Amino acid sequence: MFDNEDYTMQHVVPYAGYNGDFSNINVLSPPSMGLPAFMDAEGNFTDISTAKFDSENPILLAFGLDVPTAFLYSVFIDSDNKTVGYLADGNGVYVPRTTPLTIPVFTVTVNNTVLAGDDFSQTAIIPDGKYKIRLAVLRPFGDPGNDEDFEMWDSEEITFGE
């Protein structure tokens, strides 16, 4: 009760506790939910290793978030684990969690187009070759400048142009 209040009035304060280090919690929905996964334009799940796609025929990377995140990004990485470019619509700030009734999954368009330039205001086509897609999601209380504060998922290898 609060001072100088009618003691017959009830106040309900919702509270959800977490027993553990919340900054180490997994943000992405678990693989047991079948996510992250790739879908074709019709929303059918597809095998990324055999899918044919390019800038005119993209596929979608679908993923869920069990916990909201302040920052996420998705990039193509090469065989040396170096970033080749950022997926054009695969970045977000203050992204809410997914729920079955409101936002069942988030999707990112995957083709051979990436953001380029110092301020990412231009687009470029990545060279033909083999790549993986990395989805990186900042954990609660994480530092966006510290890779260890991200939960990262790497796709199977995909091929453009060969």
Side-chain angles (χ1 to χ4, degrees):
M1 295 291 182
F2 299 101
D3 289 342
N4 300 325
E5 283 218 31
D6 179 359
Y7 288 101
T8 60
M9 212 171 143
Q10 255 189 342
H11 295 280
V12 177
V13 180
Y15 174 78
Y18 180 78
N19 186 10
D21 185 355
F22 196 63
S23 65
N24 284 326
I25 194 169
N26 286 334
V27 178
L28 288 169
S29 295
S32 62
M33 293 186 67
L35 298 172
F38 292 93
M39 301 185 319
D40 62 20
E42 287 79 41
N44 302 309
F45 289 104
T46 187
D47 180 359
I48 190 70
S49 64
T50 59
K52 302 291 182 205
F53 56 98
D54 56 28
S55 59
E56 294 178 16
N57 301 295
I59 60 172
L60 300 172
L61 168 61
F63 62 94
L65 298 178
D66 282 353
V67 177
T69 184
F71 182 61
L72 67 83
Y73 67 90
S74 52
V75 295
F76 282 110
I77 54 175
D78 63 16
S79 59
D80 295 325
N81 208 30
K82 294 192 179 179
T83 298
V84 176
Y86 288 78
L87 277 68
D89 70 346
N91 309 291
V93 293
Y94 300 109
V95 182
R97 70 184 180 100
T98 51
T99 62
L101 296 177
T102 57
I103 307 169
V105 295
F106 290 108
T107 57
V108 174
T109 302
V110 177
N111 55 32
N112 55 352
T113 305
V114 295
L115 297 176
D118 292 338
D119 61 355
F120 305 113
S121 64
Q122 302 164 2
T123 58
I125 303 297
I126 61 172
D128 289 350
K130 295 183 183 295
Y131 303 96
K132 289 184 178 182
I133 296 171
R134 172 167 291 156
L135 176 62
V137 183
L138 187 64
R139 287 191 170 96
F141 314 116
D143 175 4
N146 183 358
D147 283 347
E148 292 187 14
D149 286 350
F150 283 86
E151 178 181 356
M152 295 193 189
W153 173 86
D154 290 351
S155 72
E156 294 178 40
E157 193 170 74
I158 60 173
T159 304
F160 284 113
E162 295 176 10

